[in-house]
Amino acid sequence: MSLLRHPDFRLFWAAQTASTVGGNMSRVAIPLLAATALAATPFQMGLLQAAQTIAFLLVGLPAGSLIDRMRRRPVLIVCDLLRALFLLVLVAGFALDWVDFTGLMAVTLVIGFATVFYEIAYQSYIPAVVGREHLVEGNAKLESTNAVARLAGPTLGGSLVQLVGATFTVTAQTFSHLTSAVLLARMRTVEEVAPRSGERRMAAEIKDGLLFVVRHPVFRAVTGSAATYNFFYALMLPLVMLLLVDGMGLSGTTVGVLMAVSGLGGILGASLSGRLTARFGQVRVMWLSYLVTVPTTLLIPLAHGGWGILLFAVPWFAVSFGMVVYNVSQVSIRQALCPPGMLGRMNASVRFIVWGILPLGSLTGGALGEWIGIRGGLLVAGLGMSAGVLWLLLSHLVRVRDLPADEPPGSDTAATASETSK
């Protein structure tokens, strides 16, 4: 049965759509606000970017242990409500002219903590909603929404900032989180909490999750590649915004449209991920999509006005296409190989590494922008993002086409996978 006929998946998908569109609006609106109204420096832009993800480094691991002890849907609802509340606080602060850069940082940090619990619970909840046999289809549909959000969110965000200001733009995200919470509350999927064998300390549970990820050859290679990519992607983000606004003198609407190009690539990647997986294999398509698309980022430092905008737009499109295909594959592989009772800790451990490194990349990007200039920093970012594929190419995964279809979750032999070629 197609997941389109699954009522709870439709509600889950709609909730994710509402939440991610609003989040991607703020992804453009808040940095634009910092760069224009608050006249943020490159280093401050790096600090703001870091504030959005540093919570994964601070509380990501204990969050995974806690989420494994409870049902995930209530966690998602509470996190949506908390993010809506603090966004309202931010809106009120700007309306009353009480917010400076420090205040913006503080609210961004608080929202980041709620996002940690939401993201870990979100990926841990998917298998309960769709079942292991529908993971690729479910993740592909959810990634397609992420791609649409990357398309619509930045365009709406950039346009609304220019038309009605950042305050009202951030208000839209508040309603998106409230809508998500209402839709999640209507779901009826019965989710069982894995039984715990005796009383265990959180430290021991956290250690189990980290060791599972680090020792498992598939998880180790995938996590290493994602962490490398994310570090240098985070390094690139604050510099990209400054390149478009300061270096190329583009308007807020134009910046939003250019940032949204990634959404077009993501939509195409999500729509083709199933076919590409069937053609090349679930494991092979993961590293192949990375290898073919990410090195195009080396063109971005050459972007300039006129037709030179294509040197930004084409790589931005290509990387989004490739990384959506990569993400559908690697997330489905992780969910399939992980025992149900370990999902929260596994996702928390992976997010701790691959998202916890984001603030370090953002701070490095801000520092490089001050030291060697925006274009020099973007070149370093492109080289680093391209190098992330080496984790996959130097592992046994380069010889693998698919994981064995009958392998139970958590099996050590699943890591060796099937090496049959098409």
Side-chain angles (χ1 to χ4, degrees), residues 157-183:
S159 299
L160 286 175
V161 167
Q162 189 163 334
L163 292 173
V164 299
T167 301
F168 288 101
T169 304
V170 175
T171 303
Q173 188 183 358
T174 300
F175 288 105
S176 73
H177 289 306
L178 290 174
T179 301
S180 175
V182 170
L183 292 169

Side-chain angles (χ1 to χ4, degrees), residues 223-235:
T223 304
S225 68
T228 303
Y229 175 91
N230 276 4
F231 176 84
F232 287 99
Y233 178 73
L235 188 154

